[in-house]
Each structure stands twice: as structure tokens, then as C-alpha cells.
Amino acid sequence: MADFKLMRQLAKSDGGKIILLVLDGLGGLPMGEYTETTLEYANTPVMDDLAQEGCLGLSHPIARGITPGSGPAHLALFGYDPVGTPVGRGVLSALGIGFDLKPEDVAARGNFCSVDARGYITDRRAGRIDSDVALPLVEKLDQINIPGVETFVRQVKEYRFMLALRAEGLNGALDDTDPQVTGKPPLPATALEPDAERTAEFVRAWLAEAQRVLQNDHPANMVTLRGFGQDPILPKFHEVYKLNAACVAVYPMYKGVSRLVGMDVLETGSHFTPSDEFKVVAEHWDDYDFFFVHIKPTDSRGEDGDFNAKASVIESVDQALPKLLALKPDVLLITGDHSTPAKLRSHSWHPVPTLLSAPASHLRDSAKRFGEREAQRGGLGHFMAQDLMPLALAHALRLEKYGA
Ligand code: ZN
């Protein structure tokens, strides 16, 4: 990870403004009739100009050959060790919806599911019920009382919710109850270490109550839980980097990971376009030194296997980009958290094309446009995502010299 001891020592509280623009799952591969990657194929005149003026490189999220989830991949972009600081998806969900998670709380992600008369799962997402169908069920679950522990259930979106348990001495080392397949019953809550046994008992008691209160509902008549965990209490951006940082994201998980590292999360709507998100940056430009802007649909369209739709998302970002450039950031980084090639319909291990524009200090390389193959020859070379923050700070002239 970024050397936090060194960062604390060298980071200055004044200097330039930084924008970290993350197009989730940006990297890709050629596919079918397309000989270019999605980013190479997309019509991106603004990014291409920035690539010509600035420099490119390839970012490795976790380690070579490792396909990351978005949570750890973002921690790496923020300079944190993504392997040494495992963060449960439940914690990210809780923080993402703005739940006031306490250090002792254990949080999990919940799904409504459908089970048959024997209790076997027939649909792991309960027919993907809408949020308005799910809300009264969430409210019922929130009424459950288990002696010895406080429980909180909050809606996330559609069939997804968050469960938090609050009591002294809880331990989040629990296995998922989602068997990941249909035709099997949900798994019992199981402790992964002896210290977590009491927490597992609370969860088993809660699940039994959940089954009882949902038994006459259809199609959501049961739940599964996964991603149990507790707040890892990470060092915060203002403390390590001396940055007053803000997050502009639409999806809860990215707001969650931003809160974990001490960013303020700015208000967005669920249907915000890249242009809308950039407008939020402009509105708060004077309030912060650092903006993390997250664009989700690049990843979603990659997972759909839709090469063209992913290219369209990239183009919509490019068209809106002048809004950000008008703010004249001292450092603009455009990258992804990982690659999501439409060809593979999933996240992948391929390094992520990255663009650095820092007019006062970057060394222009030979790149003509923004894309994977150009980035292979770029001036930033191959680098670990965890090194991006020190680079950003340096180019914003926010790091003192090391030693005399
Ligand atoms: Zn991602």
C-alpha cells in the first residue's frame, strides 16, 4: 500500500486540487468483429486530447493475475492495502446507505429469496422484487426482537437489504448463509472462529424469526445473508494525505468505501448521469481538495457482454468531461478500479488504462489517444493502483521533499 507513515510525514495541507475519475471496469479486450478494446473503439475526442497532452500507464489493482471485486479495488486506488484490510460487503452496504455503523456492530448484506414448502431455495433474488414491494418486508424484519442484541434492518435496493447487529463483544467472522445455488436450503449461520459463536447464535435466532415473519409472503418468503463484517477503522484521508475529500457516486457501495476512508459523500440521485455527477463536483468545487467521482455503468455493460453499450457509456463521460475541465483541476486522473471486458462478461485481472493530466508537472509521453495499447507504451508504465495517491499528491505539489 501507499507508505502511510511517509505520507503523514510529507503531505502538506495546501496545494492543488485533484479529481480522481473512476470508470468502473474501464479496461477491456477486443471482441468478435471489433479489433479494438471498448475504450479504443469509443469515440472520445476529449480524453484523446488529454492523453496527447498528458501521460498514460497501466494500473494493477491488487497483484498481477488477480481479478478483484470493486470494494478492494477501490481501497487500492485510495492507497490502502486491499489484501491486508478485508472489508465485508455488509459493512460497505451499511456505510453506503448512510447507516450509522458503530465500531462494535456486525453488518451483513441480505437478499430476499423464495423457498418452496421444504425450505429449498427456488429463486435467490425472490423474482428481483421492486423496492416498493420489499420495503414493507424490510419494515417487518426490522421489528424482530432477539434478546441480548439490538438488530437493525434497512433497505438497500430492490431485493437487497442490510442487517446490522449491535451488542458488546460481537465478532463478524461468520460464513455466508447464501448457498449460491437454487435447490438447496439456506445455510445455517456458522462461526468461522470460536469467538464468533455467540454472534452466530444471535444470527441463527434472527434467521428463525425472519423465516416466521415472512412465511406467508410471496415471492419473498425467506432471506439469505452474506458478507458479514465489522468496520475495519481505517486511517482517514485528511489524516494520512491531509486532503479534504469528497465522493460523488450513485451506487451505495462506493459511497460506503468512501466513507470508510473519511470522505464526505455528496448528494446524488439514483438516475444521475455522468454529466449530473460532474455538476455536483462543480457545485462543491470550492469546498474540497480532492474529488472521487465514480461512474458505474461501464462495469454493468461490460458484465452484460454489451461491447457497444459500454462504448456508449465511455462516450457519454467524454461528452460531459468539459464540465470537469472547466474547473481547471491541477491533477485529473482517469482510470478504472479493474477491467471488465465485455468479451468475458465479468471483472478481470487485466491492468487498467490510466490517464494523468497535470499540466504544471506531467511529462508528456508519445500517446496519441486514450486506450489500452497506447497505455502499454505510456510514461507511467505499469504501476500498482496503490501508488496512484502518492503520484496524485506529488503532481498537485502537496508532498514535501523526503530528507535534506
Ligand atoms: Zn468495479
Side-chain angles (χ1 to χ4, degrees):
M1 66 177 192
D3 187 332
F4 282 176
K5 199 174 156 208
L6 204 52
M7 288 297 110
R8 282 190 179 96
Q9 186 187 333
L10 303 182
K12 299 193 289 183
S13 48
D14 60 342
K17 282 185 188 272
I18 302 167
I19 298 176
L20 173 62
L21 173 58
V22 176
L23 281 69
D24 205 294
L26 176 63
L29 292 169
M31 174 179 168
E33 74 210 70
Y34 302 102
T35 55
E36 295 176 301
T37 69
T38 327
L39 176 60
E40 290 166 349
Y41 172 80
N43 181 29
T44 55
V46 181
M47 290 187 210
D48 292 346
D49 277 352
L50 289 169
Q52 271 187 40
E53 292 296 319
C55 64
L56 303 186
L58 286 169
S59 161
H60 291 264
I62 312 289
R64 291 188 192 230
I66 302 302
T67 298
S70 291
H74 274 81
L75 281 179
L77 280 177
F78 299 155
Y80 296 71
D81 172 7
V83 179
T85 44
V87 180
R89 301 273 297 197
V91 169
L92 293 175
S93 285
L95 294 167
I97 56 172
F99 181 75
D100 186 16
L101 194 74
K102 308 289 184 200
E104 71 271 19
D105 293 355
V106 166
R109 276 166 45 116
N111 271 11
F112 286 104
C113 64
S114 310
V115 295
D116 63 17
R118 299 171 303 165
Y120 286 37
I121 296 176
T122 54
D123 186 331
R124 289 177 52 240
R125 298 182 183 89
R128 294 180 181 270
I129 49 169
D130 286 340
S131 298
D132 50 341
V133 177
L135 187 58
L137 305 179
V138 166
E139 284 165 356
K140 270 208 277 198
L141 294 178
D142 193 41
Q143 299 304 313
I144 291 176
N145 262 313
I146 305 295
V149 65
E150 250 187 298
T151 61
F152 305 85
V153 181
R154 297 288 182 271
Q155 184 159 45
V156 174
K157 203 179 180 188
E158 296 159 354
Y159 56 89
R160 296 188 292 265
F161 62 89
M162 181 241 29
L163 167 70
L165 295 95
R166 182 170 299 164
E168 291 285 311
L170 294 181
N171 180 329
L174 302 184
D175 209 351
D176 296 351
T177 75
D178 182 350
Q180 295 288 336
V181 290
T182 54
K184 284 186 178 173
L187 303 168
T190 317
L192 296 170
E193 45 191 70
D195 267 1
E197 187 47 48
R198 185 168 147 265
T199 309
E201 272 171 34
F202 285 141
V203 174
R204 287 193 288 268
W206 185 87
L207 281 168
E209 272 302 289
Q211 185 170 27
R212 191 183 65 75
V213 304
L214 295 175
Q215 60 186 337
N216 296 320
D217 289 297
H218 181 81
N221 59 351
M222 190 47 192
V223 297
T224 57
L225 300 172
R226 57 207 169 98
F228 287 94
Q230 285 172 299
D231 186 339
I233 323 238
L234 300 176
K236 304 293 185 261
F237 255 48
H238 56 83
E239 172 209 330
V240 179
Y241 301 131
K242 299 201 178 68
L243 284 174
N244 189 12
C247 155
V248 181
V250 173
Y251 273 59
M253 197 190 78
Y254 306 93
K255 299 180 187 177
V257 75
S258 300
R259 282 201 181 93
L260 270 188
V261 299
M263 290 186 204
D264 283 353
V265 173
L266 302 180
E267 187 93 12
T268 56
S270 60
H271 299 294
F272 267 33
T273 62
S275 173
D276 297 329
E277 291 191 63
F278 295 171
K279 199 170 152 229
V280 175
V281 176
E283 284 162 3
H284 294 268
W285 187 242
D286 293 336
D287 307 332
Y288 296 95
D289 313 310
F290 178 96
F291 291 85
F292 157 57
V293 187
H294 181 261
I295 309 287
K296 180 65 180 171
T298 25
D299 177 59
S300 313
R301 300 294 81 79
E303 290 202 321
D304 294 342
D306 196 333
F307 187 97
N308 264 301
K310 185 177 171 185
S312 297
V313 178
I314 295 170
E315 288 170 358
S316 73
V317 172
D318 197 76
Q319 283 154 18
L321 210 46
K323 269 201 180 111
L324 285 187
L325 298 177
L327 301 168
K328 300 200 184 312
D330 298 284
V331 178
L332 170 64
L333 285 155
I334 307 177
T335 188
D337 53 341
H338 51 75
S339 295
T340 306
K343 185 183 182 183
L344 301 180
R345 292 174 169 263
S346 66
H347 293 194
S348 80
W349 61 93
H350 298 86
V352 186
T354 301
L355 189 161
L356 166 72
S357 171
S361 58
H362 64 217
L363 177 61
R364 186 174 175 170
D365 59 20
S366 62
K368 302 269 184 299
R369 52 200 282 251
F370 190 28
E372 283 82 347
R373 258 72 66 99
E374 290 287 288
Q376 285 172 355
R377 299 186 283 116
L380 292 173
H382 282 258
F383 63 95
M384 298 305 297
Q386 295 163 62
D387 293 333
L388 205 59
M389 283 303 300
L391 266 178
L393 290 171
H395 281 284
L397 307 180
R398 301 183 75 99
L399 290 183
E400 303 276 8
K401 176 169 64 175
Y402 174 66

Short mmCIF file of all heavy atoms in Angstrom, two decimals, residues 12 32 92 219 229 251 256 349 354-355 401:
data_model
loop_
_atom_site.label_atom_id
_atom_site.label_comp_id
_atom_site.label_asym_id
_atom_site.label_seq_id
_atom_site.Cartn_x
_atom_site.Cartn_y
_atom_site.Cartn_z
N LYS A 12 1.26 17.87 2.63
CA LYS A 12 1.01 19.25 3.05
C LYS A 12 -0.49 19.52 2.97
O LYS A 12 -1.19 18.95 2.14
CB LYS A 12 1.71 20.23 2.10
CG LYS A 12 3.21 20.07 2.05
CD LYS A 12 3.85 21.26 1.35
CE LYS A 12 3.59 21.27 -0.13
NZ LYS A 12 4.27 22.40 -0.81
N GLY A 32 -15.13 -10.24 -30.87
CA GLY A 32 -15.82 -10.53 -32.12
C GLY A 32 -15.24 -9.74 -33.28
O GLY A 32 -14.04 -9.76 -33.54
N LEU A 92 -19.77 -2.34 3.79
CA LEU A 92 -19.87 -1.38 2.68
C LEU A 92 -21.33 -1.03 2.41
O LEU A 92 -21.66 0.13 2.16
CB LEU A 92 -19.23 -1.98 1.42
CG LEU A 92 -17.72 -2.18 1.49
CD1 LEU A 92 -17.20 -2.88 0.25
CD2 LEU A 92 -17.00 -0.83 1.67
N PRO A 219 -43.24 -13.37 -3.57
CA PRO A 219 -42.29 -14.49 -3.63
C PRO A 219 -41.17 -14.40 -2.60
O PRO A 219 -40.36 -15.32 -2.52
CB PRO A 219 -41.72 -14.34 -5.04
CG PRO A 219 -41.75 -12.86 -5.30
CD PRO A 219 -42.95 -12.33 -4.57
N GLY A 229 -19.33 -8.59 8.58
CA GLY A 229 -18.07 -7.94 8.94
C GLY A 229 -18.29 -6.76 9.86
O GLY A 229 -19.42 -6.38 10.17
N TYR A 251 -23.94 4.63 -6.72
CA TYR A 251 -24.20 3.32 -6.09
C TYR A 251 -23.74 3.30 -4.63
O TYR A 251 -22.66 3.80 -4.30
CB TYR A 251 -23.49 2.21 -6.87
CG TYR A 251 -24.32 1.69 -8.00
CD1 TYR A 251 -24.75 2.54 -9.01
CD2 TYR A 251 -24.69 0.35 -8.06
CE1 TYR A 251 -25.51 2.08 -10.05
CE2 TYR A 251 -25.45 -0.13 -9.10
CZ TYR A 251 -25.86 0.73 -10.09
OH TYR A 251 -26.63 0.26 -11.11
N GLY A 256 -20.06 3.88 0.38
CA GLY A 256 -19.63 3.19 1.60
C GLY A 256 -18.12 3.16 1.73
O GLY A 256 -17.58 3.50 2.78
N TRP A 349 -8.49 -9.60 -14.55
CA TRP A 349 -7.19 -9.26 -13.97
C TRP A 349 -6.38 -8.31 -14.84
O TRP A 349 -5.30 -7.89 -14.44
CB TRP A 349 -6.39 -10.56 -13.79
CG TRP A 349 -6.16 -11.24 -15.11
CD1 TRP A 349 -5.08 -11.09 -15.92
CD2 TRP A 349 -7.05 -12.12 -15.79
NE1 TRP A 349 -5.25 -11.84 -17.07
CE2 TRP A 349 -6.45 -12.48 -17.02
CE3 TRP A 349 -8.33 -12.64 -15.50
CZ2 TRP A 349 -7.07 -13.33 -17.95
CZ3 TRP A 349 -8.94 -13.49 -16.41
CH2 TRP A 349 -8.31 -13.82 -17.62
N THR A 354 -4.86 4.09 -17.60
CA THR A 354 -4.91 5.22 -16.67
C THR A 354 -4.33 6.45 -17.35
O THR A 354 -3.30 6.36 -18.03
CB THR A 354 -4.09 4.88 -15.41
OG1 THR A 354 -4.66 3.72 -14.80
CG2 THR A 354 -4.10 6.03 -14.41
N LEU A 355 -5.02 7.56 -17.17
CA LEU A 355 -4.59 8.82 -17.79
C LEU A 355 -4.30 9.84 -16.69
O LEU A 355 -5.12 10.04 -15.79
CB LEU A 355 -5.73 9.32 -18.69
CG LEU A 355 -5.51 10.50 -19.63
CD1 LEU A 355 -6.58 10.47 -20.72
CD2 LEU A 355 -5.52 11.83 -18.94
N LYS A 401 9.64 17.43 0.24
CA LYS A 401 10.79 16.61 -0.09
C LYS A 401 11.08 15.64 1.05
O LYS A 401 10.90 15.96 2.22
CB LYS A 401 11.99 17.54 -0.30
CG LYS A 401 13.29 16.85 -0.56
CD LYS A 401 14.35 17.83 -1.01
CE LYS A 401 14.68 18.85 0.09
NZ LYS A 401 15.79 19.74 -0.27
#
